Amino acid sequence: MKITLKDGSVKEYAEAKSVIEIAADISEGLARMACAGEIDGEVVDLRTVVDEDCNLSILTFNDEAGKAAYRHTASHVLAEAVKNLYPDAKLAIGPSIDTGFYYDFDMPSLTREELDKIEAEMKKIIKKGTKIERYTLPREEAIKFMQEKEEPYKVELIQDLPEDAEISFYNQGEFTDLCAGPHLMSTKPIKAFKLTSSSGAYWRGSEKNKMLTRIYGTAFTKKDELKEYLDYLEEIKKRDHNKLGREMELFTTVDVIGQGLPLLMPKGAKMIQTMQRWIEDLEESRGYMRTKTPLMAKSDLYKISGHWDHYKEGMFVLGDEEKDKEVMALRPMTCPFQYYVYKASPKSYRDLPCRYGETSTLFRNEDSGEMHGLTRVRQFTISEGHLIVRPDQMVEEFKGCLALAKHCLTVLGVNDDVTYRLSKWDPNNKEKYIGDESVWEETQGHIRQVLTELEIPFYEAEGEAAFYGPKVDIQAKNVYGKEDTMITIQWDAVLAEQFDMFYIDQNGAKVRPYIIHRTSMGCYERTLAWLIEKYAGLFPTWLCPEQVRVLPISEKYLDYANKVNEQLKANGVLSTVDVRSEKIGYKIREARIQKIPYMLVVGQKEEEMGAVSLRSRYKGDEGQKPLDEFIDEICKEIRTKEIRKIEVEE
């Protein structure tokens, strides 16, 4: 047989060989580094036997699939260590992930000290260098094997597999686990690893199931790579909005109020207000008309829209259909309400497009396991809008929505941090959607063409569409790499029919309009979380809840400090005076810790000259400056929403 390698060279063998044997034949060094193989594009175990012509790549830790196999093996070492120390723990699943690996166990939660003990046990296992072997069992024997080991989660997994599935196990010494692989040949190559954290996780991701204990870890082939990654983790922890936002007193949460219901504190509320006023003014300048609609409605409304059938589980329903005459629900979106604003008066083709905008508070019954800080909550506010347009206006209006979204992202300084996703329907699950297949394919094609014409790079995702239409989702990742949707623009060619919406065309005929559902900036809470992590709390001046702090060097100059503050406030600058009897050095340090963009130190010289001594986060000590000049400069910075670069590290 002929084996074509990644570099194009060909190896010929008279008999079948495993991937690891071929790697060893190429070089012993390659065999030592091998983590998995790839045969004709399919990732395989090193033990896989090659018995016919093929293309073969030997995957090492430098390859993503090789790295996954390496870390997957580390997860099995973790599982063995846990079973050694906690024999009553039950095994669930333990995959590799982008940042390392995890394993879920049915066992009590763990402290950091307990994680350290598990790490020590893992080191003992790795030091033994136990050989890892793969074998298979028929389905019934596999079930019996795991029942005898009293591993109910493994039994459930096997029972969910097809009758004819090949059920494989990996054995390392006295420890055996159900697994599809691939894995390393032994535990020995695992050189550097760390258990990073432990948390709760529902079995199979459903809150209806038992809460398990998930242990996260990571693994590398070199200790310096591990150290670099752990240093990186420490850095991103400083940016975690859930931690930093609380430290900066932007928001908090309270158990008796409820999960997913954050309290915005004065500073956080000020930032949201600043963004909201900006967005509302921006939308109005682009032809949007504002509406204000109820926070709840009868179930009848959601039955017309289709939300009752397709989205009811995600809604907060008030009442019982079997007992109550009138059942209400808190709104999960604003579209049906704005449709009735449109329908309140007749519309002709000349009245379109109608662009409705609303700062909408919405309610969605998120799973408790999904909620996190400000990024996933049960009550939130978005810059929601719906455009009712003629079919011939649809493409240009859709482009306009994309342009508005890109403008908002650019102003916020995050345009380079996003990806664009064309979210499509799943033709294999048509019952999840409304509308004909031809309509779905046509509208998805239109969006694809728009993105291509605008030269916006995008990827496509099947099954991510709303039940009534495809959409563009603008995605961003948090500091831990988890992706969230920040802005959505949806193409809707079906709901106008549901709500009997129409306009009168130039021939006097009734015509169904198209609808664009969109956000210009998305969810305010999620955006605030994004900005906290993006800027590590060092927000652009226009967004800061406190833009200037005036620091008198002693109580003698408090009157002048107050005059400076009054002038700043008269010009719309968010400023305060530090009136405490503290040394000026202490006041400066504290203002820096609180991430204030500008500090104005005032004393005798400044009062005599009508000036201030300026210290900024951007350039440090900038010396003395006339007060009027500083006010002109900061007002321009705020007005233009400039994002200044930090030039010095103090």
Side-chain angles (χ1 to χ4, degrees), residues 550 552 555-567 577 601-613 625-627:
V550 186
E555 290 184 7
K556 289 192 298 183
Y557 306 105
L558 189 55
D559 287 344
Y560 179 61
N562 285 327
K563 288 179 182 178
V564 170
N565 189 44
E566 287 169 10
Q567 283 188 252
V577 179
V601 179
V602 294
Q604 182 178 348
K605 289 183 180 179
E606 288 77 19
E607 183 174 16
E608 290 173 353
M609 300 175 64
V612 293
S613 288
K625 182 171 289 193
L627 176 59

Side-chain angles (χ1 to χ4, degrees), residues 176-193:
T176 302
D177 202 355
L178 169 74
C179 188
H183 281 285
L184 304 180
M185 299 302 293
S186 76
T187 61
K188 188 177 181 180
I190 301 172
K191 301 296 184 186
F193 72 93

